[in-house]
Amino acid sequence: MMSDGQLAIKEYLAKHGFEAFRPKAVLFDMDGVLYDSMPNHAVAWQQSMKDYGIEMSRADAYATEGQRGVDTIRQMVLAQKGHDISEAEAQEMYNLKTKYFHDMDEPPMMPGALQLMEQMHHGGMAIGVVTGSGQRPLIARLMKDYGQYLIEGNIVTAYDVKRGKPHPDPYLEGMVRLGNLSPWNTIVVENAPLGVEAAVAARAFTICVNSGQLPTHLFVERSADLIFDSMWQLNEQWKELGCY
């Protein structure tokens, strides 16, 4: 009898018409996957947007997670104010959001993330990060906490692509950086609807870890190949995927 992971791989191959699944690399999202940072991000978003007369709920912050911050801001200004703003204007607003975020206590590493990365590394998998953030302090912290398994050149940020999530571009760039990989060589670990959309659009095998406050159906509707409740759960079931 097939395990859930084996069945998901079979369905993935049929969905995309691939002949085989030969994973060589894993691309992680950062916020909500490697760090339990989304509660802080939600507060920073609400505070900063309120300063500019924009209403942004906690649910809005979770729903737009993974998207480039400037894109989220431009969309919200257009929807609520009825006019477009430039990327430079949106960047100024995003800088305030960044300040609020960094004024808060440093978010903890996500439980189970380091152990999962260790399993992947020992199994010979290359490891990268694809994030909608571009903040240098966050990149520096990634290297401090996960640098034994990660090199900075394998981190794709908001400033490395013109089109961010939910477009496939960030994950396609990640595949290039980790060795010009094909989708069937690539596993993505995400926690956000827009990130799942991006990974599925890039045709990577997409694992969702629903670490936030969003209903599971949002990830089912976006065709995530596997859904877990926590990084610990994925860590415990990793070998079932046969990626070792």
Side-chain angles (χ1 to χ4, degrees):
M1 183 175 178
M2 286 189 177
S3 67
D4 290 345
Q6 292 168 333
L7 181 59
I9 291 170
K10 180 179 180 181
E11 292 175 348
Y12 164 78
L13 293 174
K15 176 171 64 177
H16 295 290
F18 297 148
E19 292 184 2
F21 178 56
R22 298 190 178 93
K24 297 180 179 179
V26 181
L27 297 172
F28 287 94
D29 179 38
M30 181 174 69
D31 293 302
V33 173
L34 299 179
Y35 295 104
D36 190 10
S37 50
M38 279 310 297
N40 286 9
H41 278 295
V43 170
W45 271 118
Q46 289 176 286
Q47 290 179 337
S48 59
M49 292 304 99
K50 183 178 180 181
D51 289 351
Y52 284 99
I54 299 294
E55 294 183 10
M56 187 171 190
S57 68
R58 187 179 183 86
D60 290 333
Y62 277 88
T64 57
E65 181 197 350
Q67 189 174 37
R68 294 196 317 160
V70 292
D71 292 337
T72 297
I73 290 168
R74 294 182 74 180
Q75 290 169 8
M76 298 202 78
V77 170
L78 181 61
Q80 295 187 29
K81 300 291 187 179
H83 63 86
D84 198 6
I85 60 173
S86 68
E87 184 155 336
E89 291 172 310
Q91 183 64 54
E92 181 179 336
M93 296 169 69
Y94 184 67
N95 290 344
L96 179 61
K97 182 263 175 181
T98 299
K99 179 183 181 304
Y100 277 124
F101 179 79
H102 287 296
D103 284 345
M104 288 184 275
D105 291 338
E106 191 173 67
M109 295 170 67
M110 188 64 77
L114 186 62
Q115 293 83 353
L116 176 59
M117 201 175 282
E118 181 180 18
Q119 274 204 80
M120 294 170 170
H121 174 76
H122 288 317
M125 305 287 282
I127 294 171
V129 173
V130 176
T131 174
S133 174
Q135 303 169 36
R136 290 304 308 171
L138 294 180
I139 307 307
R141 190 181 176 203
L142 272 174
M143 295 309 302
K144 175 176 71 72
D145 293 335
Y146 295 99
Q148 57 188 315
Y149 307 122
L150 179 68
I151 62 173
E152 187 166 346
N154 289 346
I155 301 174
V156 179
T157 76
Y159 303 116
D160 293 322
V161 292
K162 291 184 178 179
R163 299 192 310 169
K165 303 173 188 179
H167 297 288
D169 306 33
Y171 282 113
L172 294 174
E173 175 65 20
M175 292 179 198
V176 169
R177 293 192 181 196
L178 269 68
N180 290 314
L181 300 177
S182 298
W184 57 87
N185 300 138
T186 311
I187 295 173
V188 167
V189 182
E190 263 284 355
N191 76 308
L194 297 181
V196 169
E197 279 191 45
V200 170
R203 302 192 298 165
F205 185 82
T206 304
I207 297 174
C208 171
V209 177
N210 191 6
S211 61
Q213 303 178 346
L214 298 175
T216 301
H217 74 81
L218 292 178
F219 305 104
V220 175
E221 292 167 0
R222 287 165 172 80
S223 301
D225 295 297
L226 277 173
I227 301 175
F228 294 92
D229 294 327
S230 68
M231 291 293 280
W232 271 126
Q233 186 184 38
L234 173 55
N235 182 58
E236 291 169 355
Q237 298 185 32
W238 173 250
K239 287 188 177 180
E240 288 188 13
L241 294 175
C243 305
Y244 57 93

